[in-house]
């Protein structure tokens, strides 16, 4: 098979106290608790998660607290409050959470509640089910004391109306990528104007892993469209014996390869977190080479030893790390030259 494989190693960050960087197979490792999350906005989310991890708290509590930060951020238009709406003007949220015991909960196409991740956690803890969707998820949230909110901010409404004027009234696959391809480099996914899903993974002082993933999904999607983020195994997977993984980017391609589960199984076979993420990216390329060239997908992984890594299809993916006294954002390695 001809492989047009143009992996460019992004700059390694400066050596960091307590971490291991090996030049041949670059691995990064934390001793003690650690939280990692997708994109540059993960840094602020990690701060909240770290408050729990640093005081011996549970990784499940840390990831929930962490991802609530971008969920509530009015400047972040791809997660929670102020998320870009679907093509009919409805803000619909997808989220899931998973703990060290394999317990998991998820909401799909939830409306009118900012903290979808907390509703997902309650699905896990208070119901016999794993997934609640749409109106049922909303009714459940109301029954648990959440307040009905309007998530569509004036800025998101204006962006939607602008999109309606320029685009046909039909779903545009990969609209996020279309936007960044048409704009300068700082508009890449993860740049200041074009964020995406937050996926967060944490290892606590008891050596237990948890993860959370939350998003408003693809901007201006078809009504009812659900991406990878609330699907256990696709947008998030945690196996406390091995490690945890999460994904960001165009969810359709992640679902096709059950991406996060694939990454964890790669680690089970002995791959480093970064190599497992690269293997999942290569699977996407192999399945749909023409599609893969024009979309962004990124994977992030953390194993039980505190090693972590990431890999994406395209330049522009970043991830945030907090461990000990280290707080940084690292550019992800990627498959295609842009
Ligand atoms: N990864 C987010 C989505 O595709 O909805």
């Amino acid at each position: 098979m001809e492989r047009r494989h143009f992996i460019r190693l992004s700059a390694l960050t400066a050596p960091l106290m307590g971490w291991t960087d090996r030049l041949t197979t670059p691995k990064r490792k934390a001793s003690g608790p650690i939280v990692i999350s997708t994109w540059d906005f993960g840094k602020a989310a990690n701060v909240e998660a770290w408050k729990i991890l640093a005081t011996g708290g549970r990784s499940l509590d840390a990831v929930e607290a962490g991802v609530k930060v971008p969920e509530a951020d009015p400047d972040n238009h791809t997660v929670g409050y102020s998320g870009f709406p679907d093509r009919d003007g409805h803000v619909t949220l997808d989220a899931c959470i998973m703990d060290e015991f394999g317990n998991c909960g998820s909401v799909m196409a939830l409306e009118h509640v900012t903290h979808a991740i907390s509703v997902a956690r309650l699905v896990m803890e208070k119901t016999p089910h794993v997934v609640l969707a749409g109106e049922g998820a909303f009714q459940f949230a109301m029954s648990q004391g959440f307040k009905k909110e309007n998530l569509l901010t004036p800025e998101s409404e204006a962006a939607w109306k602008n999109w309606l004027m320029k685009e046909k009234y039909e779903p545009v696959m990969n609209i996020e990528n279309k936007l960044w391809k048409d704009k300068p480099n700082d508009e890449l996914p993860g740049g200041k104007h074009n964020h995406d899903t937050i996926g967060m993974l944490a290892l606590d002082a008891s050596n237990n892993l948890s993860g959370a993933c939350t998003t408003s999904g693809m901007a201006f999607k078809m009504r009812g469209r659900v991406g990878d983020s609330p699907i256990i195994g696709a947008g998030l997977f945690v196996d406390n014996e091995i490690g945890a993984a999460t994904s960001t980017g165009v969810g359709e391609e992640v679902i096709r390869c059950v991406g996060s589960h694939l990454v964890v199984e790669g680690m089970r076979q002995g791959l480093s977190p970064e190599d497992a993420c690269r293997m999942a990216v290569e699977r996407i390329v192999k399945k749909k080479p023409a599609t893969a060239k024009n979309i962004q997908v990124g994977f992030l992984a953390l194993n039980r030893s505190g090693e972590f890594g990431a890999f994406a299809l395209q330049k522009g993916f970043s991830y945030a790390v907090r461990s000990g006294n280290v707080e940084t954002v690292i550019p992800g390695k990627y498959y295609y030259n842009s």
Side-chain angles (χ1 to χ4, degrees), residues 31-35 49-50 52-63 99-100 201-210 240 302-304 306:
S31 49
I34 178 172
V35 56
W50 186 251
I52 292 168
L53 294 174
T55 52
R58 190 178 169 201
S59 56
L60 184 72
D61 295 326
V63 295
D99 73 8
E100 69 268 34
L201 310 171
L203 181 68
D204 62 28
S206 304
N207 218 30
N208 287 322
L209 288 159
S210 296
N240 208 43
L302 171 65
N303 71 19
R304 226 187 156 204

Side-chain angles (χ1 to χ4, degrees), residues 4 14 21 37 58 67 96 132 139 147 167 214 251 274 299:
R4 299 182 63 212
D21 266 346
S37 51
R58 190 178 169 201
V67 303
C96 75
L132 290 179
Q139 291 301 340
K147 297 278 175 291
E167 302 284 344
T214 178
E274 180 185 302
F299 291 104

Side-chain angles (χ1 to χ4, degrees), residues 11-252:
L12 292 174
T13 52
L16 296 163
M17 185 101 70
W19 293 12
T20 312
D21 266 346
R22 293 178 216 153
L23 281 179
T24 44
T25 49
K27 277 185 188 171
R28 293 188 171 89
K29 180 172 177 174
S31 49
I34 178 172
V35 56
I36 61 176
S37 51
T38 54
W39 304 113
D40 48 0
F41 61 65
K43 196 172 173 182
N46 287 355
V47 168
E48 281 308 302
W50 186 251
K51 288 177 188 167
I52 292 168
L53 294 174
T55 52
R58 190 178 169 201
S59 56
L60 184 72
D61 295 326
V63 295
E64 181 190 4
V67 303
K68 284 172 78 172
V69 173
E71 279 187 338
D73 181 355
D75 293 329
N76 184 324
H77 297 295
T78 61
V79 181
Y81 178 75
S82 88
F84 283 146
D86 65 19
R87 66 181 193 176
D88 295 342
H90 306 274
V91 180
T92 68
L93 307 182
D94 297 334
C96 75
I97 194 163
M98 193 163 185
D99 73 8
E100 69 268 34
F101 304 111
N103 298 316
C104 45
S106 161
V107 289
M108 298 180 176
L110 173 67
E111 295 182 46
H112 306 301
V113 180
T114 294
H115 292 303
I117 198 66
S118 299
V119 184
R121 181 169 177 174
L122 289 171
V123 172
M124 174 176 86
E125 292 179 340
K126 298 267 177 79
T127 81
H129 308 303
V130 168
V131 183
L132 290 179
E135 179 64 18
F138 171 72
Q139 291 301 340
F140 172 70
M142 294 299 104
S143 77
Q144 297 299 309
F146 290 83
K147 297 278 175 291
K148 184 174 180 180
E149 306 164 72
N150 174 23
L151 305 186
L152 187 65
T153 60
E155 291 78 20
S156 292
E157 187 171 9
W160 167 60
K161 287 186 172 159
N162 188 45
W163 178 83
L164 284 178
M165 279 192 301
K166 286 187 182 166
E167 302 284 344
K168 290 179 190 157
Y169 193 70
E170 61 186 25
V172 178
M173 181 61 82
N174 309 329
I175 183 73
E176 289 151 339
N177 261 49
K178 186 168 180 298
L179 287 171
W180 70 255
K181 289 251 171 184
D182 292 346
K183 288 181 175 176
N185 278 342
D186 73 344
E187 302 288 320
L188 286 164
K192 59 182 184 291
H193 299 304
N194 195 1
H195 296 295
D196 192 78
T197 314
I198 186 162
M200 177 178 278
L201 310 171
L203 181 68
D204 62 28
S206 304
N207 218 30
N208 287 322
L209 288 159
S210 296
C213 187
T214 178
T215 186
S216 52
M218 187 181 285
F220 319 127
K221 59 198 173 186
M222 282 181 74
R223 181 131 177 86
R225 180 264 186 190
V226 170
D228 58 323
S229 301
I231 300 178
I232 298 294
L236 176 73
F237 195 68
V238 177
D239 184 327
N240 208 43
E241 285 184 3
I242 305 296
T246 189
S247 61
T248 181
V250 177
E252 280 73 2

